[in-house]
Amino acid sequence: MKKKYIIAGNWKMNPQTVEEAKRIATQVKKVAIKMKKIETVACPPFVYSNLIKVDDGFSLGSQDVYFEQAGSFTGEVSAEMLKSIGAKYVIVGHAERRKMGDTDEVVAQKLNSAVDAGIQPILCVGEKERDQNGDYLGVLKNQIGASLGKLARKDVKQLVVAYEPLWAIGATSAMTPADVHETALFIKKVLSDTYGQEYALSVKILYGGSVTFKNAKDIVALGQVDGLLVGRESVNPEGFNLILKEIDGI
Ligand code: 13P
């Protein structure tokens, strides 16, 4: 069977009440479990994690993780803790966390601690701007290399990469499917140069940045990516469920 698409919802710091979180979780799950070609991943704020009742095709992800295993790290959550509550994925290196201080080195440590605990990292990468002479490709290449750190070849199959150009996050329009396609190929090439083609091809590449039900299908089908990382629309269950249906219809 063909690999399933991953449609992940990054709820970010939303919603503000547990009642609303319950409503989103319940409504999304209702549709997610009926999808044949999709694994839906809900990534709520930590405090709402237990509202995600995982099921076939409906998984729990985290928005962040700390790289230390245990101990005196006030406010932090370890990969083992996430594993023990049933999280399957964790987002690392999101642009918003990088802006709050996560360097490539920190991202690499987080990624490796997730893999060690048996959680699949969703590594976010993306350029700040697209310059005319293509320097953004070099930026991406360096960011990928530095964020993977010492990830071993045997663990590459656990990796998911979410390509999120910073200028398309929280914007009014997404990247064009043609540009998504070109960049996804570039990311595969970078992975292939590091780990070999067989390993690189097993890595799922997602796109994120202003995805809605209107552009989701073209981005995935024409951009030829393995799924989406959705921000704003992930806490709008009506819109998110339409995205799921669009992708399941490909
Ligand atoms: P938006 O879908 O709100 O643009 O956010 C994208 C994002 O950052 C997902 O991680």
Side-chain angles (χ1 to χ4, degrees):
M1 198 189 123
K2 196 182 175 299
K3 283 192 295 187
K4 282 190 172 186
Y5 294 112
I6 293 179
I7 308 296
N10 176 8
W11 295 16
K12 305 193 180 181
M13 203 169 72
N14 302 298
Q16 298 311 304
T17 65
V18 67
E19 289 77 22
E20 180 59 4
K22 257 184 217 161
R23 185 183 82 85
I24 298 166
T26 312
Q27 290 207 21
V28 168
K29 180 175 175 178
K30 219 184 277 176
V31 173
I33 56 173
K34 293 193 193 127
M35 300 292 108
K36 298 203 164 46
K37 300 184 188 165
I38 300 174
E39 176 179 8
T40 301
V41 184
C43 306
F46 288 135
V47 289
Y48 301 142
S49 297
N50 66 350
L51 300 178
I52 306 301
K53 310 290 178 209
V54 301
D55 206 327
D56 202 17
F58 187 58
S59 307
L60 172 65
S62 167
Q63 296 176 23
D64 194 21
V65 63
Y66 197 53
F67 52 79
E68 294 285 358
Q69 288 180 351
S72 306
F73 304 101
T74 304
E76 298 294 351
V77 168
S78 73
E80 277 302 329
M81 290 175 192
L82 294 174
K83 181 79 183 168
S84 79
I85 61 159
K88 186 171 168 192
Y89 296 93
V90 59
I91 297 170
V92 293
H94 191 279
E96 288 151 13
R97 293 231 56 96
R98 289 180 187 266
K99 209 171 157 193
M100 286 182 243
D102 281 12
T103 59
D104 286 338
E105 192 184 18
V106 167
V107 174
Q109 284 178 292
K110 290 183 170 185
L111 184 144
N112 280 278
S113 78
V115 168
D116 287 347
I119 298 184
Q120 291 190 248
I122 301 178
L123 169 65
C124 296
V125 294
E127 77 280 1
K128 275 204 189 75
E129 54 186 14
R130 289 223 144 189
D131 50 295
Q132 296 275 319
N133 42 10
D135 285 349
Y136 62 90
L137 292 174
V139 169
L140 266 180
K141 185 176 175 205
N142 291 341
Q143 198 184 35
I144 293 167
S147 303
L148 289 175
K150 294 190 181 63
L151 183 71
R153 176 172 278 146
K154 69 173 176 48
D155 294 324
V156 173
K157 289 185 173 159
Q158 305 299 314
L159 178 68
V160 177
V161 174
Y163 170 56
E164 299 204 313
L166 271 61
W167 48 269
I169 297 176
T172 46
S173 52
M175 187 181 227
T176 64
D179 283 346
V180 170
H181 181 49
E182 186 186 80
T183 318
L185 283 179
F186 177 77
I187 292 171
K188 284 200 175 154
K189 166 92 171 66
V190 171
L191 293 172
S192 174
D193 288 348
T194 314
Y195 295 106
Q197 200 181 29
E198 186 206 330
Y199 288 89
L201 289 178
S202 69
V203 176
K204 286 187 177 174
I205 313 276
L206 316 183
Y207 166 80
S210 299
V211 172
T212 69
F213 74 90
K214 292 187 182 141
N215 57 26
K217 191 172 180 171
D218 279 354
I219 290 172
V220 172
L222 306 175
Q224 293 184 36
V225 283
D226 305 295
L228 300 165
L229 181 54
V230 182
R232 283 159 294 171
E233 280 298 276
S234 70
V235 284
N236 166 23
E238 295 77 18
F240 189 76
N241 288 344
L242 285 174
I243 294 174
L244 296 180
K245 288 175 186 168
E246 285 287 323
I247 302 304
D248 210 52
I250 288 176

